[in-house]
Amino acid sequence: MWITPEEVLLANALWVSERANPFFILQRRKGHGKGGGITGLLVGTMDVVLDSSARVAPYRILHQTGDSQIFCSIACGSSRKEITEHWEWLETNLLQTLSIFDNNEDITTFVKGKISGIIAEENKSKAALEDEDSGKFREAELKMRKLFGMPGEEKLVNYYSCSYWKGRVPRQGWVYLSVNHLCFYSLLLGKEVTLVVQWTEVTRLEKNATLLFPESVRVSTRHTEHYFSMFLNVNDTFKLMEQLATIAMRQLLDNEGFAADHSLPKACKTLKNVSALKRDLDARAKNERYRALFRLTQDERLDGHTDCTLWTPFAKMHIVGQLFVSNNYICFCSREEDLCQLIIPLREVSIVEKADSSSVLPCPVSISTKNKMTFLFANLKDRDFLVQRISDFLQRTPESGHSVSQSEGSPSLPTATQSLLRIYQKDAPEEHGPKATKEKMKEESWNIHFLEFGRGVCMYRTSKTRELVLNGIPESLRGELWLLFSGAQNEMDTHPGYYAERVEQAMGRCTLATEEIERDLHRSMPEHHAFQNEMGIAALRRVLTAYACRNPGIGYCQAMNIVTSVLLLYCTEEEAFWLLVALCERMLPDYYNTRVVGALVDQGVFEELTRACLPFLYEHMQELGVISTISLSWFLTLFLSVMPFDSAVLLVDCFFYEGIKVIFQVALAVLHANMDTLLDCNDEGEAMTILGRYLDNVVNKQTVSPPIPHLHALLTSGDEPPPQIDIFQLIKSSCEKFGSLRADVIEQMRFHQRLKVIQSLEDTAKRSVVRAIMTDSAFSIEELEELYVHFKAKHIMSCYWGASTTAAERHDPSLPYLEQYRIDLGQFCQLFGALGTWLCGTHTATLAARLFRLLDMNKDGLINFKEFVTGLSGMYHGDMTEKLKLLYNLHLPPGKQGKTQLCGSNNSLINSLQDIHTPREEVKEAEDALGSGDAEEKIGEPHSPDYKYYLRMWAMENEPKKETIKDLRRMNQEQFIELCKTLYNMFSEDPLEQELYHAIATVASLLLRIGEVGKKFTNNGANKPTDTTNAQAPAPAAELLQPEKEEPNGESSSGQSLVCRALAEAQLETPPQQTSDEEVKDDTSVSSYSMVSTGSLQCEDIADDTVLIGCAGDQQRRGSILDGDWSITFEQVLASMLTEPPLVDYFEKKGDIQARMAICKMQRKVERQVSLSSDHELAQLST
């Protein structure tokens, strides 16, 4: 490419001149291409280690004038072809012009101006598409694509200098982190190391520091482990690796590919080695931390943050922390954890102004809200800019919709304005006992807290707030505070009327989710009187179906009904809906999808925490296999299904305030409290009984609600009642013993477990698919698993290198494993070319398209793994009859093969594609419903139709018949020519190709005569106009196929001429064979229109009985037309093939799928090696 002219002092240092003229020199870098010796090795190593631009652009063009020692670089290139084009352009367009100048300075000025003009023109045309990446980074991206053979769609995120440990020897080089791959390249003293790892294959990613690998990163896949060390900034590198691996896991989980955020603000200055994608990922990471810290919605974007102080009127002091500003919120978090947190929605802000500065209060900003609260921030570094940004966001903020009633759309429903608990306690007599007094004291404590710290979304959240939550939220305030702490209040306020719309949209809709909801409605807290009548059940139905309508990706999952029923006890329907949204989409991510991935991830985190906190118990529990059994139900229902309701709801209070951390703390406290008895257990059942009885007896002695029987406790109670455990003591104990748990540590653990869980689920899916089809396939289990890996990889590759939208639409995680991954025609053609045995040169794509059409039974343009294996099985494991039948069907016209041809095969796997089922059971049920009677009598009655008779007839018509080869359709002349063409191309690379060509020539001529004879019997000797036309074509006897007895008309010769022409065309399509000069001379003695391969069969090899099908010349061949009456059957094709032993041996030969898969696996490496080869080496490969 053309580059901005720069002066070069030492033109020949480390470079070799290859071309020169009076004004320009073309040079090649030493160490690139042929030769170079020890100097070339040293230069190549230096370029890799120092990341020299010469590694990616080993060619350059310099401008020189006269005897001057100062040179000017004007162009560089990654290949000889590219640099040669630039050189030829200079010779053509500039040499003659430059010879006119008399002054060398004028020549240099003219050349620099011309090159700068070309660059400016190129930049102008690319301005709309060019990103803000620096030239240095674009150079590195180009290098990555060249080194590893990546397409233009693969985007580099960043690259780092590091060492890759191959064995005990570190290889210094560069690691390239792209969106979909981790790549490493090193070249030291001529030894090349190339590594490519897909992020979707990573099973473990961890940073560790050992004596052998200091500050290293370990990347593990299913089969290998890779160690990288000696990073300049290992933390930054590892964080980026984590992000890219998380994106890949999300792609495996729900096919959610990576999409760059083009709305990011442009950087103030272009950083040297930071790409736009790296900035994008950094911004995403900050956004995720910001949203998790303040429980904000997924569309909230952090605009910036700065250090400041907040004046706290309740403590009469300034608290140091950070101020965060996003598009809808202003948030503050103290530097000391739990000291103070504040969330101010911009919709609540009325005034933002700069206050007077002083030595005590420098650069203050005052923010006032609509509910008369004022917040004072000080020590702001750039106060003017901050106020301007907040003002800009305030102008875009819509007015808050307080006027919208929560009961809009359903004002007549009691649950639209009140919680279920309030409805059922309305008429209950007021209690005045000690429990009621305790409850009143709690309410009063919260009221005092509201007066001091504020109430609503702008409330100061301090350590005092946490203490009140741990002591239990009063029932009258529970719904309000759940909404506040979870962030659901903000989402509900910004989406007025949304819930009513979803309810109306879901009304009357029947889906799989609604069926599952109906099945579980009466299992939701059946012991509570609120769900023993239609009011509670109907409210639960509306909330669950509305959420299934909002999020069809989740729909409905078991355990959602239990959690939602508890929410409805303390909240209105709309409030419960938004709390469910907060739970499923933010606080418990991926918990309630089809594979409960989030719960499995937290189960792994819990095991890891148990190993760290209770090591002796962990080892014993692992032997019993208890942790994985018990913890899933604990996390999915937040202990609501395993603990008495009045006690579990207190854990829900803590969960909404502190998040998943409190659930882990309580779970660890439960194991710690039962450690001694659990260590004495001998089996899993005994351990589960101990834990179950312990949780059954966790009581809340302060509850004011009437006691609710716990079904699990009733079923597991023994003779002696175990001691009761106070829930408040359990919570206090969990905070004291395990309160050191941090949210960021849990998130790090979640990342490690997510890799493990998702890859484990992928392995389970692979085993399930293989198990489902192994009985119908002749492939071994290992072969099927390897085929599945290739099949899935092709689908995933299309997601990030092809039409990602189409790939995302065809992948549905809710479908059975067999249907989750499907490929289209283009991907099938690639797999067919890599794994198929019937390769036909340029004709391969056509044959693959025909096979795809045959396998695509539902005609949706996609095939699943079972259908894919069906096609391969027919080629690899069928006998000669089955293989020929498949080939025969492939050459019938579209829409004519039908299901019958494919299913007529004896191959059981091909038979499994039959989609027609015998409806005998349906007929039997219909007959029973109609009652018994005499069918024949009813047939005779004109006005009383016999339904049983019609049902039998319908069953007989739809019943699949056992078809034989006699039932296959006849093949016309055009289809026969295509079949011969395919066979000819299939034999082109076989070791016995000459014998096969001879055999197929004999078979083709025989079948032509058979078709002519059959036509005579069909037409009874009558000549049609087409016959006359054919007869008029001259056909010299010397050039026509001559049977023992000459045909009375020229129709046979016309058909043979068509076959001859088709095979000649097929020969032209075949890639040229490497032949010697003597072979070329011999070829000239053979007829150019011979049926036998003229490029491989010599004159002396032709036996006496070889049949040569000639043609009367180009003009006569063009004049030949297809015979519409000519046809043959599959039986005739099979019988003719069986007469030729070479054909029988070819089709009876079993293919080696293992070898093909090994070649397919190595294909990627071969591509990379070719991309690394020099031009000289490439030229040698092509000759």
Side-chain angles (χ1 to χ4, degrees):
M1 62 180 177
W2 301 108
I3 59 176
T4 304
E6 295 180 356
E7 288 188 358
V8 178
L9 295 179
L10 300 175
N12 295 319
L14 309 181
W15 293 85
V16 179
S17 298
E18 294 195 342
R19 293 188 186 182
N21 58 42
F23 303 103
F24 303 103
I25 302 175
L26 189 153
Q27 294 185 327
R28 173 178 54 84
R29 185 75 165 179
K30 289 182 180 179
H32 181 83
K34 184 180 179 181
I38 187 65
T39 305
L41 293 178
L42 292 174
V43 172
T45 301
M46 183 181 67
D47 288 341
V48 171
V49 173
L50 300 180
D51 193 30
S52 170
S53 60
R55 183 61 193 161
V56 67
Y59 298 94
R60 70 179 182 182
I61 297 177
L62 303 180
H63 166 63
Q64 65 169 354
T65 55
D67 298 330
S68 174
Q69 296 300 314
I70 298 177
F71 298 83
C72 185
S73 62
I74 60 174
C76 65
S78 59
S79 65
R80 187 181 296 277
K81 179 181 178 181
E82 181 184 2
I83 205 69
T84 302
E85 290 176 355
H86 287 58
W87 179 264
E88 292 175 351
W89 187 90
L90 291 171
E91 288 185 329
T92 305
N93 297 279
L94 289 188
L95 277 186
Q96 188 173 359
T97 304
L98 295 179
S99 61
I100 301 174
F101 289 90
D102 296 330
N103 191 341
N104 289 338
E105 293 182 1
D106 294 341
I107 293 175
T108 302
T109 302
F110 178 80
V111 170
K112 288 183 177 180
K114 189 69 175 177
I115 299 302
S116 299
I118 295 174
I119 295 173
E121 196 66 30
E122 290 179 349
N123 292 339
K124 188 185 300 182
S125 62
K126 297 178 181 179
L129 301 175
E130 193 68 36
D131 54 22
E132 63 269 26
D133 292 343
S134 65
K136 180 74 173 176
F137 188 86
R138 288 198 296 271
E139 186 180 287
E141 187 171 45
L142 178 62
K143 184 191 301 183
M144 179 203 72
R145 291 174 185 163
K146 179 189 175 187
L147 290 175
F148 306 105
M150 299 290 179
E153 293 83 4
E154 185 69 3
K155 301 297 182 182
L156 178 65
V157 180
N158 212 349
Y159 62 104
Y160 303 92
S161 173
C162 70
S163 292
Y164 170 58
W165 291 80
K166 191 170 184 180
R168 297 184 178 180
V169 181
R171 300 297 182 97
Q172 185 65 28
W174 292 85
V175 62
Y176 298 86
L177 305 181
S178 69
V179 174
N180 304 293
H181 296 87
L182 180 152
C183 309
F184 177 83
Y185 179 78
S186 173
L187 175 64
L188 293 176
L189 300 178
K191 291 188 177 181
E192 218 169 32
V193 175
T194 306
L195 173 71
V196 176
V197 178
Q198 285 188 1
W199 290 117
T200 52
E201 295 297 321
V202 174
T203 58
R204 190 174 181 84
L205 185 65
E206 59 183 351
K207 179 180 64 175
N208 49 24
T210 62
L211 188 61
L212 182 61
F213 302 117
E215 288 287 311
S216 64
V217 174
R218 182 173 72 174
V219 181
S220 304
T221 63
R222 288 177 175 83
H223 309 293
T224 57
E225 289 185 348
H226 308 284
Y227 289 89
F228 302 90
S229 64
M230 299 184 187
F231 290 95
L232 294 178
N233 189 341
V234 67
N235 293 325
D236 182 50
T237 308
F238 185 71
K239 286 179 182 178
L240 180 57
M241 287 181 173
E242 283 185 327
Q243 283 184 282
L244 295 172
T246 301
I247 292 171
M249 293 305 105
R250 178 59 57 186
Q251 184 178 346
L252 286 177
L253 183 60
D254 52 16
N255 219 65
E256 183 180 307
F258 176 79
D261 186 0
H262 299 290
S263 63
L264 280 176
K266 289 193 175 182
C268 300
K269 60 179 181 178
T270 302
L271 301 177
K272 183 179 179 182
N273 292 329
V274 178
S275 67
L277 282 178
K278 178 66 167 60
R279 288 181 53 239
D280 183 357
L281 290 173
D282 289 343
R284 291 181 188 218
K286 290 179 180 178
N287 287 335
E288 289 174 5
R289 289 194 294 269
Y290 170 64
R291 290 193 294 257
L293 182 61
F294 298 104
R295 306 278 171 80
L296 302 178
T297 57
Q298 297 296 326
D299 57 350
E300 198 64 26
R301 292 183 176 183
L302 178 65
D303 187 69
H305 59 90
T306 182
D307 293 333
C308 70
T309 60
L310 171 65
W311 171 254
T312 53
F314 54 88
K316 301 295 189 291
M317 62 180 292
H318 292 277
I319 295 179
V320 179
Q322 280 192 321
L323 180 70
F324 301 84
V325 178
S326 61
N327 47 333
N328 293 300
Y329 297 91
I330 300 170
C331 302
F332 174 85
C333 184
S334 61
R335 186 174 297 173
E336 184 180 346
E337 190 177 5
D338 291 333
L339 186 58
C340 182
Q341 192 181 84
L342 182 65
I343 301 173
I344 309 173
L346 290 180
R347 66 180 184 274
E348 299 291 335
V349 174
S350 58
I351 299 174
V352 177
E353 58 184 353
K354 292 180 282 187
D356 296 333
S357 295
S358 66
S359 58
V360 180
L361 202 65
C363 299
V365 171
S366 173
I367 299 178
S368 301
T369 63
K370 296 174 182 177
N371 59 354
K372 309 303 180 184
M373 293 184 70
T374 301
F375 304 95
L376 189 62
F377 299 93
N379 292 284
L380 294 164
K381 293 181 181 178
D382 197 346
R383 181 176 63 167
D384 295 338
F385 178 74
L386 174 66
V387 172
Q388 183 60 44
R389 289 301 293 167
I390 295 176
S391 300
D392 293 341
F393 285 129
L394 279 173
Q395 291 178 358
R396 305 173 201 167
T397 303
E399 292 294 328
S400 58
H402 291 294
S403 60
V404 180
S405 173
Q406 293 181 354
S407 60
E408 181 183 0
S410 55
S412 60
L413 296 175
T415 52
T417 56
Q418 299 181 77
S419 64
L420 286 174
L421 209 58
R422 184 167 296 179
I423 292 173
Y424 284 97
Q425 290 181 350
K426 186 187 306 181
D427 301 327
E430 186 177 356
E431 294 188 10
H432 300 282
K435 291 184 179 180
T437 305
K438 185 74 172 177
E439 187 76 4
K440 290 291 184 182
M441 291 175 61
K442 285 184 182 179
E443 291 180 10
E444 189 61 28
S445 298
W446 276 98
N447 289 329
I448 295 173
H449 186 272
F450 291 149
L451 289 174
E452 188 175 358
F453 297 91
R455 187 167 186 170
V457 290
C458 299
M459 179 178 70
Y460 291 97
R461 307 178 193 196
T462 66
S463 55
K464 182 69 179 298
T465 312
R466 181 175 182 270
E467 290 177 11
L468 289 175
V469 172
L470 293 179
N471 290 328
I473 298 176
E475 291 187 351
S476 59
L477 298 175
R478 187 161 274 150
E480 175 189 346
L481 294 176
W482 283 359
L483 286 166
L484 178 64
F485 297 145
S486 66
Q489 182 70 57
N490 288 319
E491 202 162 6
M492 186 173 70
D493 289 345
T494 54
H495 294 82
Y498 180 89
Y499 171 67
E501 292 174 4
R502 297 287 83 77
V503 171
E504 185 177 356
Q505 185 178 350
M507 193 175 298
R509 179 182 294 183
C510 183
T511 63
L512 179 62
T514 57
E515 292 177 3
E516 293 177 346
I517 289 170
E518 290 296 330
R519 189 166 55 245
D520 286 349
L521 283 177
H522 295 279
R523 305 175 187 171
S524 308
M525 295 189 67
E527 66 276 12
H528 200 288
H529 57 274
F531 295 97
Q532 293 171 356
N533 58 77
E534 185 56 31
M535 181 187 295
I537 295 296
L540 182 60
R541 179 188 292 113
R542 285 190 292 271
V543 173
L544 290 174
T545 53
Y547 184 77
C549 181
R550 167 191 167 88
N551 192 343
I554 292 179
Y556 171 76
C557 175
Q558 285 187 345
M560 286 174 66
N561 59 321
I562 297 175
V563 175
T564 307
S565 60
V566 174
L567 300 179
L568 281 169
L569 289 175
Y570 299 99
C571 306
T572 65
E573 283 187 33
E574 185 176 14
E575 292 170 346
F577 171 80
W578 288 113
L579 278 170
L580 184 63
V581 169
L583 273 173
C584 296
E585 299 175 12
R586 296 196 299 276
M587 301 190 71
L588 296 176
D590 300 322
Y591 257 60
Y592 300 108
N593 57 23
T594 52
R595 296 189 278 184
V596 293
V597 173
L600 293 174
V601 168
D602 281 350
Q603 176 180 292
V605 172
F606 180 56
E607 291 185 14
E608 196 171 340
L609 290 172
T610 306
R611 180 174 54 196
C613 301
L614 307 169
F616 296 108
L617 180 61
Y618 170 78
E619 293 179 2
H620 185 66
M621 297 283 278
Q622 283 295 99
E623 293 176 2
L624 301 179
V626 176
I627 296 181
S628 59
T629 305
I630 59 174
S631 57
L632 195 60
S633 61
W634 294 3
F635 295 121
L636 270 175
T637 63
L638 304 176
F639 285 95
L640 288 167
S641 63
V642 295
M643 194 181 287
F645 170 75
D646 294 327
S647 303
V649 76
L650 292 175
L651 295 182
V652 179
D653 293 343
C654 301
F655 168 75
F656 278 123
Y657 186 79
E658 293 197 292
I660 194 64
K661 179 178 73 170
V662 72
I663 303 298
F664 285 121
Q665 290 175 353
V666 171
L668 289 171
V670 170
L671 292 184
H672 184 268
N674 294 275
M675 183 186 296
D676 295 336
T677 52
L678 288 173
L679 288 173
D680 294 334
C681 292
N682 297 319
D683 57 52
E684 177 186 358
E686 186 180 355
M688 291 183 64
T689 302
I690 291 172
L691 291 173
R693 295 188 67 183
Y694 178 86
L695 292 172
D696 289 338
N697 290 276
V698 176
V699 298
N700 178 7
K701 299 178 181 179
Q702 299 179 11
T703 181
V704 294
S705 300
I708 301 172
H710 186 45
L711 295 182
H712 190 265
L714 295 175
L715 295 174
T716 58
S717 59
D719 297 332
E720 296 182 4
Q724 292 183 338
I725 301 95
D726 188 0
I727 181 62
F728 293 100
Q729 288 298 323
L730 179 61
I731 294 174
K732 182 179 178 181
S733 173
S734 69
C735 293
E736 291 175 352
K737 292 185 173 70
F738 309 104
S740 60
L741 284 180
R742 294 173 54 88
D744 56 345
V745 175
I746 292 175
E747 285 303 318
Q748 186 69 28
M749 290 177 158
R750 277 179 163 178
F751 166 75
H752 292 304
Q753 293 298 326
R754 191 177 294 113
L755 291 179
K756 181 179 177 181
V757 167
I758 293 179
Q759 295 292 10
S760 176
L761 290 173
E762 289 296 309
D763 292 340
T764 301
K766 178 176 68 175
R767 289 191 295 269
S768 299
V769 170
V770 170
R771 194 162 50 244
I773 66 174
M774 59 180 293
T775 56
D776 297 328
S777 172
F779 290 116
S780 66
I781 295 178
E782 292 77 13
E783 290 171 344
L784 287 173
E785 289 182 347
E786 188 69 22
L787 284 172
Y788 181 82
V789 170
H790 288 291
F791 186 86
K792 189 182 82 170
K794 187 61 64 177
H795 168 88
I796 292 177
M797 192 176 296
S798 71
C799 295
Y800 53 74
W801 283 351
S804 58
T805 304
T806 306
E809 290 174 354
R810 77 176 70 132
H811 175 70
D812 184 359
S814 64
L815 291 174
Y817 288 133
L818 188 61
E819 295 287 341
Q820 283 188 13
Y821 295 110
R822 292 178 289 172
I823 59 174
D824 58 18
L825 174 59
Q827 297 160 349
F828 177 79
C829 289
Q830 295 174 12
L831 285 175
F832 182 87
L835 300 174
T837 57
W838 295 346
L839 303 183
C840 311
T842 57
H843 194 61
T844 302
T846 304
L847 188 65
R850 289 172 174 168
L851 180 57
F852 181 87
R853 187 182 64 224
L854 195 64
L855 296 174
D856 184 15
M857 301 298 293
N858 57 359
K859 307 303 178 188
D860 62 349
L862 300 169
I863 62 171
N864 59 28
F865 181 65
K866 183 176 182 180
E867 293 166 337
F868 171 71
V869 170
T870 297
L872 288 183
S873 184
M875 289 187 288
Y876 277 97
H877 297 291
D879 57 21
M880 180 179 181
T881 303
E882 292 166 355
K883 291 179 180 178
L884 285 177
K885 188 184 296 184
L886 182 57
L887 269 176
Y888 185 89
N889 277 312
L890 292 179
H891 292 81
L892 293 178
K896 296 296 183 183
Q897 304 100 322
K899 298 173 183 175
T900 55
Q901 278 78 11
L902 185 60
C903 300
S905 170
N906 294 327
N907 190 333
S908 60
L909 186 55
I910 295 181
N911 285 331
S912 66
L913 286 178
Q914 178 66 35
D915 235 359
I916 302 174
H917 305 284
T918 309
R920 290 192 178 276
E921 293 79 4
E922 300 174 21
V923 174
K924 191 170 186 280
E925 292 175 3
E927 288 180 350
D928 294 341
L930 290 172
S932 59
D934 190 356
E936 294 181 1
E937 292 178 3
K938 290 189 177 182
I939 293 174
E941 297 176 7
H943 299 293
S944 57
D946 183 6
Y947 296 105
K948 290 168 60 179
Y949 170 77
Y950 289 125
L951 284 170
R952 288 197 199 96
M953 294 297 295
W954 174 71
M956 292 174 61
E957 290 176 1
N958 287 282
E959 184 175 355
K961 300 176 182 178
K962 294 182 179 180
E963 298 190 21
T964 63
I965 57 177
K966 296 181 180 180
D967 298 316
L968 295 176
R969 293 174 57 86
R970 300 178 71 88
M971 178 177 282
N972 63 29
Q973 196 173 77
E974 181 182 7
Q975 297 151 14
F976 174 68
I977 291 172
E978 289 296 318
L979 176 61
C980 292
K981 192 175 180 180
T982 299
L983 291 171
Y984 181 90
N985 284 286
M986 284 171 55
F987 302 151
S988 62
E989 298 181 3
D990 194 273
L992 302 176
E993 59 177 329
Q994 297 187 21
E995 289 85 348
L996 291 169
Y997 289 152
H998 174 83
I1000 196 60
T1002 306
V1003 169
S1005 61
L1006 177 61
L1007 287 172
L1008 283 171
R1009 292 197 297 269
I1010 291 174
E1012 292 297 331
V1013 173
K1015 184 179 68 173
K1016 291 180 181 179
F1017 283 104
T1018 303
N1019 296 339
N1020 294 324
N1023 290 329
K1024 294 186 178 182
T1026 54
D1027 300 336
T1028 306
T1029 306
N1030 291 339
Q1032 291 174 356
E1039 296 183 358
L1040 291 178
L1041 175 69
Q1042 296 293 337
E1044 293 182 3
K1045 187 173 182 180
E1046 206 170 19
E1047 297 290 341
N1049 55 30
E1051 294 172 354
S1052 175
S1053 60
S1054 174
Q1056 293 159 3
S1057 133
L1058 288 168
V1059 175
C1060 162
R1061 180 174 61 180
L1063 295 178
E1065 292 171 357
Q1067 180 182 345
L1068 293 176
E1069 292 176 2
T1070 307
Q1073 304 283 338
Q1074 293 185 0
T1075 55
S1076 62
D1077 295 338
E1078 296 176 357
E1079 290 174 334
V1080 173
K1081 292 178 183 177
D1082 292 337
D1083 289 343
T1084 59
S1085 62
V1086 183
S1087 171
S1088 61
Y1089 300 117
S1090 171
M1091 175 78 177
V1092 185
S1093 173
T1094 60
S1096 57
L1097 185 61
Q1098 316 304 324
C1099 290
E1100 58 268 26
D1101 295 331
I1102 302 176
D1104 295 335
D1105 57 346
T1106 301
V1107 181
L1108 294 177
I1109 300 180
C1111 296
D1114 291 343
Q1115 189 173 359
Q1116 290 179 2
R1117 288 188 290 111
R1118 288 193 208 100
S1120 302
I1121 62 173
L1122 293 171
D1123 191 341
D1125 295 329
W1126 187 96
S1127 66
I1128 55 174
T1129 65
F1130 175 74
E1131 290 177 285
Q1132 294 167 344
V1133 173
L1134 178 60
S1136 302
M1137 293 279 192
L1138 289 173
T1139 61
E1140 294 296 327
L1143 293 176
V1144 175
D1145 294 340
Y1146 179 86
F1147 283 104
E1148 289 289 349
K1149 181 173 59 178
K1150 301 294 183 183
D1152 185 4
I1153 187 68
Q1154 291 283 4
R1156 299 295 302 181
M1157 288 191 294
I1159 294 174
C1160 186
K1161 190 181 296 184
M1162 293 295 295
Q1163 185 177 6
R1164 188 73 193 150
K1165 296 181 181 179
V1166 171
E1167 289 176 1
R1168 290 197 297 273
Q1169 290 172 1
V1170 170
S1171 69
L1172 290 169
S1173 301
S1174 65
D1175 297 333
H1176 176 75
E1177 293 167 335
L1178 290 174
Q1180 286 184 333
L1181 288 173
S1182 61
T1183 56

